[in-house]
Amino acid sequence: MASGWSPSYCVWCRCRKWPRTRRARAIVTDGIVPTLQELVGLRALVQGRRGARLGRHGVQGQALSNLRGRGMEYAESREYAQGDDARHIDWRLTARSGRTHTKLFQAERERLTLVVADTSPSLYFGTRVRFKSVQAARAGALAAWLAARDGDRIAALRGSHLEAPVPPASGPRGALRVLDALVRWYAQPPADDDGLPVALEHARRLLRPGSRLVLLADPSSIASIPAERWPALAMHHELIVLLLVDPLETSPPPKRLPFLGAHGGRIELGLDTAPVRQRWRQQFDVPLEATQAILQRQGARVMALSTVDSSDAWLSLLGRPHAVLATGAGR
């Protein structure tokens, strides 16, 4: 495989020509550039879904904080201290122990859902249904609408030292701010992309214990993150990692394919031969499987989301223990 070669320079995609008419241009850009109308329409996919967050006794509501105080959800009982509210005395435990105990309740708060968007150039590529960047925007939009439905605050950021994160906000207004950012970020590769490590450093300063972190990333970007960074994220937050892949990367056709090299030269890969297919697998499949295994061991919920998958396929990760799911087959 030639040095500097990347599937983002596939002749299949680079040879497309933009039509002059506005109507024709809209048809060709479908699946190539995300639109706000498209992301807003995804709200319907989460409206009918059952809420995933349940309280200790199965009552859906706001997320539970680690703080003990006044709230609706019972947390524990302790011995009565001067100044405690007499209305909260735990009479049953008091009778059993012979010492006065009082009930403590779980304080409620709004949970933060943070969408971290990888904007590396390798995402702006696709051979079937849509670009990986468009699939990332759609998955991020679903996370935003899910947060709005559940009463969470929603924020988003990417790896940039110049652009500030989308500040946390709740409701449809907060979701629409995130959608607008996703459309801008995934329309074309940002010139000031500083990489996924910078994005995760920004996220570390914004997150609070109990937050949900939805990471949209190319598998090659995940490889640049040291493995020791993941346990802290998975321990204190609900960490969901969506790895954006394309069928050409995971299941290339057994034929000779033309590509453009990094310097404009034409390259033909004989994917109909066993040695070349093995090297292709070493380039894409093996790192993807290794990345999934590492993230699983560190406590993340992971899915390889293909461009041909239904954009809401990753919602099956919600409410499950840590798991790794393979790519689906639906649109």
Side-chain angles (χ1 to χ4, degrees), residues 78-229:
R78 62 162 172 79
E79 288 196 33
Y80 181 87
Q82 186 174 2
D84 288 341
D85 193 336
R87 294 174 298 178
H88 296 156
I89 291 179
D90 188 338
W91 295 108
R92 291 185 178 181
L93 184 55
T94 297
R96 290 198 305 268
S97 65
R99 297 186 303 273
T100 306
H101 282 72
T102 185
K103 294 180 179 179
L104 295 181
F105 297 87
Q106 196 85 33
E108 293 179 344
R109 58 159 174 77
E110 288 182 310
R111 180 175 59 181
L112 172 65
T113 292
L114 176 62
V115 176
V116 175
D118 176 24
T119 53
S120 63
S122 55
L123 277 172
Y124 301 79
F125 158 79
T127 59
R128 290 178 58 189
V129 182
R130 58 181 67 93
F131 275 19
K132 294 196 290 183
S133 52
V134 175
Q135 186 71 302
R138 291 170 62 91
L142 285 167
W145 288 125
L146 192 69
R149 188 205 65 183
D150 291 344
D152 293 353
R153 293 179 301 143
I154 175 70
L157 57 84
R158 64 182 182 89
S160 172
H161 287 105
L162 300 179
E163 183 173 358
V166 178
S170 57
R173 176 176 295 183
L176 288 172
R177 290 178 181 175
V178 171
L179 266 57
D180 179 71
L182 292 171
V183 169
R184 289 188 290 103
W185 296 343
Y186 285 122
Q188 59 184 0
D192 62 333
D193 176 55
D194 293 317
L196 190 58
V198 172
L200 289 178
E201 182 60 27
H202 292 337
R204 185 184 64 83
R205 294 194 292 266
L206 189 61
L207 290 168
R208 295 294 180 267
S211 300
R212 171 181 289 165
L213 172 58
V214 180
L215 176 57
L216 316 168
D218 190 90
S220 61
S221 299
I222 298 291
S224 65
I225 306 299
E228 57 268 19
R229 294 197 60 177

Side-chain angles (χ1 to χ4, degrees), residues 43 62 64 73 84-85 93 95 108 124 144-145 165 167 180 185 189 209 235 245 252 269 288 290 298 304 319 326 331:
R43 184 180 188 181
Q62 290 183 304
L64 299 180
E73 194 77 17
D84 288 341
D85 193 336
L93 184 55
E108 293 179 344
Y124 301 79
W145 288 125
D180 179 71
W185 296 343
M235 181 181 300
V245 297
L269 293 181
L288 175 62
Q298 303 303 337
R331 179 175 177 181

